[in-house]
Structures are given as structure tokens and as C-alpha cells.
Amino acid sequence: MSTRVRRGSRELWPAIGFLLPNLIGFLAFTAAPVVMSLGLSFTSWDLLTPPLWVGVDNFVALLGFSSTPTGWRANDPEFWQFLGNTLFFLLAIPVNIAGSLGLAILLNRKLRFSHFYRLVFFLPSVLTGVAIFTLWKIMYNPDYGLINGLLETVGLGGSKWLTDPAMAKPALMIMSSWMTIGGTSMILYLAALQNVPLDLFEAAKIDGAGKWAQFRHVTWPSLMPVTFFIFTMALIHSLQGGFDAAYVMTNGGPFGSTTTLGFYIYRQAYVAFEMGYAAAIAWVLFLLVLVLTLINWRYGNKNASV
């Protein structure tokens, strides 16, 4: 027993030596900034003067409501508008998941040049974001853009995609789906489909199940764990994302219709220089991500394990 303990202690210090650089990096560049941002959310700081402690004033200004002669009014109406924008973009998640699954089912068949097709569909997800956003911005141009040109060719009127508040969010969601459907989710579904036992399909055929019944009772239940993982990661990414596309294509407009909470944090921190207020928004966003993820884990994981 003592020999085993001495051997374990000899192996412990080399292991700590290997883990220490990563641990130091995590503490210095992840854990410490997170803790500092929490403290910063209770201050008012413009980067030029020392931080001033304001307590919960930032959170009251962000989340609170005030009584006016015409009724209750939000202290920060923009926050609630941008929160609505952030939640609206979540509507693209089911579309993206369904598209990735459908594409994976098609590419899982024995087709000629199937590897080439997989590469073509996967390519948009690895291209540089700014280049893609610029390309789509040109395609959405109401005067010479490709999309309006195609719509007019088939007799449909064009649209001012990025300058119309009603169309700006759908335009960004269409672009996001184009980049996402053939990406990592498709690869995960392909791998999962290839691991579904063929015996299950043969048994379903013997019982008289058609294609739809096989998908409903064999394929889909087998893919539930992968779907749960994909949905969870997409939920977190969508709640935190939206900055880069909106910054390049619309600058958050028109009239704030494409500004997400992530973009609002940037504006408050590096445009208005309200670092404490930006930190408060970041923590509210963190709590929103945490709550929705836990709800998804509570109910989605139960279905995935069935």
C-alpha cells in the first residue's frame, strides 16, 4: 500500500507541472476577468477616471420600471427592445436543426461524389465571417443585389432587406441559416446516422413500417441525444452572438431592429464608455443563458434519454 502511495505522489507532481500553465492561463484570462466584471457591474467607470461604487444602480437602471403620468415606463427601453431582438433570433434554431438533419439524411445515402457534396455544404461554416457578411450585404443591396434581381426575374418585387425594420432580422436569419445548416450540426447528424443499427430498420420493415414510420420510430429516437447537444449549443451561441453580423451589415439598425444584447454590451462599453453598465448587461445576459440552458437541460435531457 505504501509503495502505491509513493508511486502516486511521484506521478502527481509531473501531472501538476503539465496542468499548471493551462490553469494559470485560465485563472488569469478567464476566471479573474469574470470575477472583476461582476465587481465592475456595481460601479460607474468611463475608463479615464477611477471606478465609482454605485451599488445596484446599474441593475435598477437596466431592469427597473418607473411610474409616469401615462403609466409605468422602463428605465431602459432599449434593453427590452434588444432583449426581444435576441430572443427573436432564437426562432432560427429549429429551422437550422431541421435543415441540418434533412441534409445529413440526404448525404448519408450512397451517392456518387458524396464526399465532395459534404465539403461543398460544409464550406460556408469555415469561411471568414467578415468576408461572408460583406458578400451577403452586397447580395441584399436593393439596387444591384443578386437576391432582388432573382426575385424580380420570377415576377416578385424586391425588398430593402437591410434598411427595412421588418425585413432586417429575417435577412440576417436567412444568412445565418445558410452558414449553419451545412456546418458542424450536419456532421454530427451524419456520424449519428451511421451509428444507427441497421437491424432496427430491418425489423421495422418486417413490421410493415414505411419511410416516415421508420424515421419517426427508429431514426429520430436514435438521434435525440445528438439533437439535445446541438440545440443546447445553438441556444447558447444564439443568445451570446449576433454582434459581428449586425456590426458589419447593419450597425445594429435600422432603428435598433438588429441590435442584440451582445451588440448593446459593445455599444455601452466602447462607444458610450459606460463600462459598469456594460458589465451589468453582460451579467444579465449570463443569467438569461444560464436559466434557459438549465430549462433545456431539465426537459430536453429527459427526452433525449428516453
Side-chain angles (χ1 to χ4, degrees):
M1 184 68 178
S2 59
T3 303
R4 185 177 302 174
V5 172
R6 287 195 299 269
R7 182 184 305 170
S9 62
R10 287 197 304 267
E11 295 175 351
L12 176 63
W13 291 108
I16 293 176
F18 281 111
L19 295 174
L20 195 59
N22 185 64
L23 179 61
I24 293 175
F26 171 78
L27 293 176
F29 299 108
T30 301
V34 168
V35 174
M36 292 175 63
S37 71
L38 179 59
L40 191 62
S41 66
F42 297 100
T43 67
S44 176
W45 185 37
D46 61 1
L47 292 176
L48 301 177
T49 58
L52 176 65
W53 181 265
V54 296
V56 297
D57 288 357
N58 287 331
F59 293 96
V60 172
L62 183 66
L63 302 173
F65 290 81
S66 301
S67 178
T68 65
T70 58
W72 289 91
R73 180 180 180 275
N75 294 337
D76 186 353
E78 286 189 328
F79 167 77
W80 298 102
Q81 177 190 358
F82 303 152
L83 173 61
N85 293 341
T86 303
L87 297 177
F88 185 88
F89 282 118
L90 297 182
L91 297 177
I93 294 179
V95 177
N96 295 342
I97 291 178
S100 297
L101 176 58
L103 196 56
I105 292 175
L106 290 176
L107 295 179
N108 192 48
R109 298 181 176 182
K110 295 181 179 180
L111 302 173
R112 295 185 61 187
F113 311 113
S114 60
H115 291 84
F116 172 75
Y117 296 142
R118 295 175 187 178
L119 174 63
V120 169
F121 286 116
F122 186 74
L123 193 59
S125 66
V126 298
L127 296 177
T128 305
V130 174
I132 293 297
F133 303 147
T134 304
L135 174 63
W136 275 85
K137 185 177 181 179
I138 296 173
M139 293 172 60
Y140 277 134
N141 188 282
D143 299 322
Y144 54 81
L146 175 62
I147 295 178
N148 275 359
L150 293 175
L151 291 175
E152 292 173 359
T153 300
V154 297
L156 299 175
S159 175
K160 296 182 178 180
W161 293 95
L162 301 179
T163 56
D164 184 354
M167 295 302 300
K169 281 195 287 290
L172 295 186
M173 294 167 70
I174 292 172
M175 180 200 64
S176 174
S177 296
W178 177 82
M179 296 178 63
T180 304
I181 287 177
T184 305
S185 299
M186 181 195 70
I187 300 300
L188 291 174
Y189 273 132
L190 270 173
L193 286 170
Q194 293 173 5
N195 287 326
V196 178
L198 296 179
D199 296 342
L200 297 178
F201 292 104
E202 294 177 358
K205 289 180 181 179
I206 294 174
D207 292 337
K211 293 293 184 182
W212 170 248
Q214 292 178 34
F215 173 81
R216 180 181 177 185
H217 298 289
V218 178
T219 305
W220 182 243
S222 301
L223 298 179
M224 283 300 295
V226 177
T227 303
F228 169 73
F229 172 78
I230 292 174
F231 181 81
T232 302
M233 298 307 296
L235 180 66
I236 296 173
H237 180 267
S238 296
L239 288 171
Q240 295 179 334
F243 166 75
D244 45 2
Y247 182 82
V248 173
M249 300 180 68
T250 64
N251 198 29
F255 305 109
S257 60
T258 59
T259 300
T260 60
L261 290 183
F263 198 105
Y264 193 36
I265 293 171
Y266 162 79
R267 275 179 38 186
Q268 291 297 319
Y270 300 109
V271 178
F273 294 105
E274 292 286 349
M275 301 300 295
Y277 198 71
I281 300 172
W283 274 92
V284 171
L285 177 59
F286 164 75
L287 292 176
L288 176 64
V289 172
L290 178 62
V291 169
L292 292 182
T293 302
L294 289 177
I295 292 174
N296 176 53
W297 185 271
R298 172 67 176 84
Y299 295 100
N301 191 38
K302 181 191 298 185
N303 295 330
S305 60
V306 174

